[in-house]
Amino acid sequence: DAKTTQPTSMDCAEGRAANLPCNHSTISGNEYVYWYRQIHSQGPQYIIHGLKNNETNEMASLIITEDRKSSTLILPHATLRDTAVYYCIVTYGGSQGNLIFGKGTKLSVKP
Amino acid sequence: GAVVSQHPSRVICKSGTSVKIECRSLDFQATTMFWYRQFPKQSLMLMATSNEGSKATYEQGVEKDKFLINHASLTLSTLTVTSAHPEDSSFYICSTTAEIAKNIQYFGAGTRLSVL
């Protein structure tokens, strides 16, 4: 699986959009970009995933650059409950094998 | 999304005892379940992949005789930490994929194990 690089931490004001970047310059053509998050002392939660096209669901939007070497997760209106560690993971789709979790980005949403 | 129930959420035990952690898929069949471990301030590390009706596949460095995995039904996998020691204290998390959404992993809430 391709490696990813994320900032260690980010702050965001409550109600504002949170934009979390991820670099995955060695991604291969059939690897997907997945985002999970982990709220303190809980199990990770799936957010969104994509291959080439931008994706949007009820939780977030995923913007993938045309060369697929980087992506951005957007939480349009961050709330205090969005404070968590966000993991960007590149892996093959289909029936998933193990997910390789990096250090992620600690997002702190502040009032 | 699919619901994965993990029990217990927290356990404190004496050194040398064994601890069993259960992971249940509540509304779907889970032929494959994954077990992760997370030490404080670190990321999740896969320990093993549990397949219903067959032996689990362990990651390099994980002792299969110490971390016993049983996946006897399509809705239940158990992880038993045998002869637990303080260095086994960690956050253990299970996950699975649902047949209808094989490309997404659903995680349990985790079990905090503290070995005294």
Side-chain angles (χ1 to χ4, degrees):
Chain A
D1 291 346
K3 291 182 63 175
T4 62
T5 305
Q6 300 177 251
T8 302
S9 63
M10 293 181 64
D11 289 344
C12 177
E14 188 179 18
R16 303 297 293 271
N19 297 284
L20 291 89
C22 179
N23 286 322
H24 31 78
S25 59
T26 61
I27 191 171
S28 64
N30 53 356
E31 286 185 305
Y32 288 72
V33 180
Y34 280 79
W35 284 83
Y36 286 80
R37 73 180 181 183
Q38 186 178 24
I39 296 171
H40 182 63
S41 294
Q42 297 184 25
Q45 175 189 24
Y46 165 80
I47 301 173
I48 198 167
H49 73 282
L51 182 63
K52 298 180 184 177
N53 300 321
N54 298 337
E55 301 287 345
T56 295
N57 63 21
E58 65 277 5
M59 289 184 69
S61 294
L62 174 60
I63 308 298
I64 302 174
T65 58
E66 193 169 340
D67 64 6
R68 302 209 323 123
K69 292 185 177 182
S70 66
S71 61
T72 301
L73 177 74
I74 301 173
L75 306 179
H77 306 287
T79 70
L80 299 179
R81 287 178 294 181
D82 291 322
T83 292
V85 178
Y86 286 77
Y87 297 99
C88 170
I89 301 171
V90 172
T91 188
Y92 295 98
S95 185
Q96 283 193 336
N98 57 303
L99 296 174
I100 300 176
F101 286 82
K103 297 186 183 301
T105 296
K106 177 70 192 321
L107 175 69
S108 298
V109 181
K110 301 182 183 299
Chain B
V3 178
V4 178
S5 173
Q6 192 172 337
H7 177 80
S9 59
R10 170 130 198 180
V11 59
I12 301 172
C13 70
K14 293 182 179 180
S15 184
T17 60
S18 294
V19 175
K20 180 186 284 188
I21 302 169
E22 293 186 348
C23 183
R24 294 181 184 273
S25 57
L26 296 184
D27 52 4
F28 60 96
Q29 293 183 334
T31 55
T32 303
M33 287 186 173
F34 305 95
W35 288 96
Y36 294 82
R37 179 169 54 182
Q38 185 176 32
F39 291 108
K41 298 189 187 300
Q42 294 187 23
S43 193
L44 283 79
M45 294 293 292
L46 181 71
M47 298 175 66
T49 301
S50 165
N51 297 295
E52 188 269 334
S54 64
K55 291 184 178 180
T57 303
Y58 291 82
E59 294 300 301
Q60 192 173 12
V62 178
E63 299 175 56
K64 62 179 181 180
D65 294 330
K66 180 170 184 61
F67 299 99
L68 301 178
I69 292 174
N70 184 284
H71 193 162
S73 78
L74 287 172
T75 59
L76 174 64
S77 176
T78 61
L79 168 68
T80 301
V81 183
T82 62
S83 187
H85 291 285
E87 57 265 30
D88 298 322
S89 298
S90 188
F91 192 49
Y92 292 86
I93 310 167
C94 68
S95 75
T96 186
T97 56
E99 284 295 314
I100 59 172
K102 289 186 176 181
N103 55 357
I104 297 172
Q105 280 196 27
Y106 299 95
F107 289 82
T111 297
R112 176 78 56 193
L113 172 63
S114 299
V115 184
L116 305 178

